[in-house]
Amino acid sequence: MRRNATILSIVVAVVGIAVVVFSELSGVSWPRIIGIVLISLGGIGVGVAAGLGDERPGRWLGRLRDARVAIGVALAIVMVLPVVAALAGAIVGFFSALGSGLNPAVVTGGGVIALLMLVAALGSVWIAVRAIRRAATPAGVPQEAAAGEERA
Amino acid sequence: MPTRQILWNITSVGPILLYSLMVVPFIFIAFGLSRRARMWRLGQPEDRFDQMPRRLWNAFVMSVLHGRIERRRNRYGGTMHLLIFWGFIALFVGTTIVMIQADIVGPFFHLTFYEGDFYLGFKAAMNLAGLAVIAGVLLALYRRYVRRPATQDTTGDDLVILCFLLVLCVQGFVLQALRLAVTQDPWAAWSFVSYPLALSLRGLSPTALRAIHAINWYAHFGTTTVFLSYVAYSKMVHPFTSVANVVFRRLKPRGVLEPIPNIEEAETFGIGRLEDFSWAQLMSVDACMHCGRCLEYCPTFNTGKPLRPRDLVLEIAGYLADRGDIFSGELGAGENSARFRWGAGPDRELVPGVVSEAELWDCTTCGACMEQCPVYIEHVPLIVGMRRNLVLERGEFPDEVTSVFNNLERLGSVYQFPPDQRDAWTRKLDRPVRRMAEAAAAGEEVEVLFFVGCLGSFDARNQRTTLALARILQAAGINFAILGKEETCNGDPARRIGNEYLAQMMAQQTVETLNQYSFKKIVTACPHCFNALKNEYPQIGGNFEVVHHSQLLDQLISEGRIKLDPNSALARGKVTYHDPCYLGRYNGVYDAPRGVIGALPGAELTEMRRNRSRSFCCGGGGGRLFMEETRGTRINQARVREAMNTGAELLAAACPFCMTMFEDGIHGVGAEEQFRVLDIAEIVAGSLAGSGEPAEPAEPRPVPAP
């Protein structure tokens, strides 16, 4: 029963993807929502069937878990790199934009926003990488609880 | 007409990937949530599906409107969450609106609503929402890195989630700015964050801007996909689990503990295995977001004891995750939500493999954790459930409790006094006190049954409160009677300690006694008796109108039935009041005792820092009154110091358990000379026009130990 549900869900998702591909390549946009719905239902079906099943998470999921630090660090860098490039570009562009007749106050505001966002993006990568690496460190022996009032 | 091209600068490969890869987060979210549901189903069945409209409305108010998140003493955390929550919701709705335009309204109806004034307002709203999320995330990071409240532990998962949110918003603003830098929309200023950024970007060539835009679009879409796939395995699952927990929370009064049904026939007692929890309890531990609010007023956390309610819940949650075979937390087996024991495997005994015995026995059942929890996790029933198993199946409990159980079984009291000494205190009164049996035999109507309780009957200090209340009742001309020798313990201490069998026996006996007589209402000076009689006795057919003596006193004073002496020496200057947990938090009686103190001529009520629902326990509840306090510092002394810090010389109490703990605490801190504790009945009785201090109590004679 569950196996059939999984197969059906996969089929539904694949049909949905095919519909989306057809819609995009043919330029007929109305079938796209049908494809989206099918993809969503198929994904939910696969997930629910696997989640409610008795099987332990597959070996590939175990591997995913084992490689979580490497994957996490790589993703953190790859996902943020483009936005860092854009913000760096904004800071470079800020100086030429200043003399181009645009409102200098707004341009300066833009430069400041770019700088802050750049710091936020780089800071996020730094925090996330540290957090991911720290999370993989064994927790060790439980520590005695310190009194809240003393800690405060 | 102001508008924009949806999927500007993106070739058809973009939407194909966008929609096709949507299947990935859907699979991950559905797998994670259904595995969680499967995990909860390990628990026992329990009906939590009644009163659904009330449940849903409550969830809306408490979760969506932040009724329980944004609180007076949690403004920082509440505002932070509000900004992230509403910002995120607005962005989600915004994305859905764009999708409706692009995939439904446009293709099917050839209409466009995504233009004109709507579009301009939409852009401004989305910029505001993005700013709100960023502000909330920065507040959260500041709290975790700089403020670092003692109640909060930061895990890798917490930080990764915050970084995700921050990066997603920054990417959104940058994408918009890159587009505006190329298209140079005349209405671009409506995007008030992206517009200045776009002006800075105009220094780059349009070709470069288009290339950077396309790369960033894919990066944003990739980040969103990864984030959504991570949701069900991180604390970001809480929009699902926490809301579910609020919907399916217990609707009974919080002071009620569920009885073990049909205990004579039961084969297992209490919670000894994961399967002994109810499904709703398993869901509730899974809903914990380790915010630490439960620790803020917790007496054990604040005095350095092993029990920290958050950690207890997370220990069970970690065990549940191990048993349910799900990554919960969870970046790794190292530092994660249940940082002590998660990942230790499914083959553990619940106690002590997951939860230690010290944690269970340190709890005072004060309910401060449950009062604060924003998602209605009920810690006390979990703890009492595990205590029941220790007591009834394993016969394991602190040595000091043995005598309490013996006394209850033999003498019907927590103390070692014979039942015929229960009413010995009445001999100290000038006027006799009727027994219910006498009144019934004479066929007389009784207005008030005064349920004295064990402490009020036998404990020398608390007898003074009993005498005081009896004097007030007599002065007010109230037609009252006591059960006298027929009174037995109501079963509350046994129940909170975990001896449910004994508790049910005591309760049944009391209900049978009470049901013999006719009276209008029961008054008691003990909040533990009050809670049991009022909230728990209906479980076994005892339906009575029960009032606490503070409520009765407040009523008598306001009705002018008792007169207070303006020159009373007992109620001069600053008085501080301690809210008993079983009166305040469990039953919501906060104003009546304050009304009594406020009516005392010459008395000035000064509040402690922790008051009303945020009161700090005296340390005597949950059977702790009868146990040694061997771990951490003394709870009662911490509370006495807090009371003394108000500058008051008198601490007003309204509970015999608190009275005993504070007398001990005052001695402990060596403040006998400058500080004292009195029950509000003693203060009122001592302030009655024409009265003096209450007389010394009669001394009951102890019976020999068995």
Side-chain angles (χ1 to χ4, degrees), chain B residues 172-441:
Chain B
F173 281 125
V174 168
L175 268 176
Q176 194 174 43
L178 286 162
R179 180 179 56 78
L180 292 175
V182 177
T183 58
Q184 301 194 11
D185 295 348
W187 49 82
W190 284 85
S191 303
F192 57 89
V193 179
S194 304
Y195 173 61
L197 198 55
L199 293 190
S200 285
L201 283 162
R202 279 197 204 171
L204 302 178
S205 72
T207 313
L209 288 172
R210 280 178 178 273
I212 296 171
H213 175 272
I215 294 168
N216 269 281
W217 187 89
Y218 283 103
H220 185 57
F221 145 59
T223 309
T224 309
T225 304
V226 173
F227 174 70
L228 292 176
S229 302
Y230 182 58
V231 158
Y233 312 92
S234 70
K235 74 182 297 183
M236 268 310 287
V237 75
H238 76 275
F240 301 98
T241 54
S242 299
V243 173
N245 198 54
V246 178
V247 170
F248 295 111
R249 74 188 179 94
R250 209 164 61 113
L251 295 177
K252 291 177 183 168
R254 205 174 298 153
V256 174
L257 284 177
E258 298 298 334
I260 296 176
N262 199 11
I263 196 165
E264 295 286 352
E265 308 287 326
E267 292 179 358
T268 57
F269 301 93
I271 299 166
R273 304 166 306 144
L274 196 72
E275 290 80 359
D276 294 330
F277 290 102
S278 74
W279 70 267
Q281 286 178 317
L282 292 183
M283 184 177 74
S284 78
V285 297
D286 201 31
C288 177
M289 284 304 107
H290 49 95
C291 66
R293 292 268 301 276
C294 55
L295 303 178
E296 287 173 9
Y297 303 97
C298 171
T300 60
F301 170 74
N302 282 291
T303 55
K305 295 176 175 52
L307 171 62
R308 295 190 276 190
R310 175 196 60 199
D311 292 355
L312 178 125
V313 164
L314 290 176
E315 283 159 5
I316 301 169
Y319 180 46
L320 176 66
D322 280 347
R323 289 286 306 276
D325 204 17
I326 189 172
F327 311 157
S328 183
E330 308 327 352
L331 287 166
E335 184 177 300
N336 51 52
S337 310
R339 64 193 184 290
F340 297 126
R341 294 184 174 90
W342 185 81
D347 304 319
R348 288 177 282 160
E349 199 176 12
L350 183 61
V351 182
V354 178
V355 177
S356 72
E357 293 191 26
E359 287 175 283
L360 297 181
W361 292 117
D362 274 346
C363 181
T364 66
T365 69
C366 71
C369 45
M370 304 197 293
E371 175 67 31
Q372 290 300 316
C373 180
V375 297
Y376 290 98
I377 295 171
E378 293 198 305
H379 309 70
V380 172
L382 300 176
I383 291 170
V384 173
M386 287 184 275
R387 281 184 177 184
R388 283 175 180 172
N389 188 262
L390 288 180
V391 172
L392 297 176
E393 281 202 11
R394 300 199 207 172
E396 294 171 7
F397 43 81
D399 292 339
E400 312 91 272
V401 175
T402 309
S403 60
V404 176
F405 290 161
N406 285 337
N407 293 335
L408 285 171
E409 282 176 23
R410 287 177 56 236
L411 307 167
S413 158
V414 293
Y415 292 120
Q416 198 176 319
F417 292 107
D420 62 6
Q421 293 288 310
R422 261 202 188 261
D423 52 7
W425 57 271
T426 56
R427 285 183 236 137
K428 285 290 178 185
L429 288 169
D430 298 331
R431 282 187 275 168
V433 174
R434 275 191 311 170
R435 280 39 170 187
M436 286 301 296
E438 295 166 5

Side-chain angles (χ1 to χ4, degrees), chain A residues 72-152:
Chain A
V73 171
L75 282 176
I77 294 168
V78 169
M79 289 186 299
V80 178
L81 209 55
V83 87
V84 167
L87 290 165
I91 291 168
V92 171
F94 160 73
F95 294 103
S96 51
L98 260 184
S100 63
L102 295 166
N103 184 333
V106 183
V107 173
T108 306
V112 171
I113 291 172
L115 188 64
L116 292 176
M117 285 189 174
L118 183 64
V119 171
L122 290 172
S124 295
V125 176
W126 181 72
I127 290 170
V129 168
R130 269 175 52 115
I132 291 165
R133 293 183 62 174
R134 201 176 65 179
T137 312
V141 182
Q143 300 295 308
E144 272 292 304
E149 286 179 342
E150 289 165 19
R151 284 182 64 187

Side-chain angles (χ1 to χ4, degrees), chain A residues 32-33 36 39 47 50-57 68 79 82-83 93 96-97 106 110-111 124 134-135 137 139 148-149, chain B residues 19 26 31 35 38 102-103 108 150 154 163 166 171 196 199-200 202-203 216 223 301 304 325 331-332 334-335 339 342 610:
Chain A
R32 192 166 55 205
I33 189 67
I36 293 167
I39 291 168
L52 293 180
D54 292 330
E55 307 82 24
R56 300 177 72 83
R68 64 191 178 276
M79 289 186 299
V83 87
S96 51
V106 183
S124 295
R134 201 176 65 179
T137 312
E149 286 179 342
Chain B
Y19 294 124
F26 271 115
F31 176 82
R35 186 130 290 228
R38 183 176 173 274
D103 298 322
F108 284 93
T154 298
C163 292
L166 191 58
Q171 283 175 334
L199 293 190
S200 285
R202 279 197 204 171
N216 269 281
T223 309
F301 170 74
D325 204 17
L331 287 166
E335 184 177 300
R339 64 193 184 290
W342 185 81
R610 294 176 284 201

Side-chain angles (χ1 to χ4, degrees), chain A residues 18-32, chain B residues 12 15-16 102 106-107 110:
Chain A
V19 171
V20 167
V21 171
F22 165 77
S23 169
E24 288 303 322
L25 297 183
S26 66
V28 183
S29 53
W30 67 263
R32 192 166 55 205
Chain B
S12 51
I16 289 176
H110 307 290

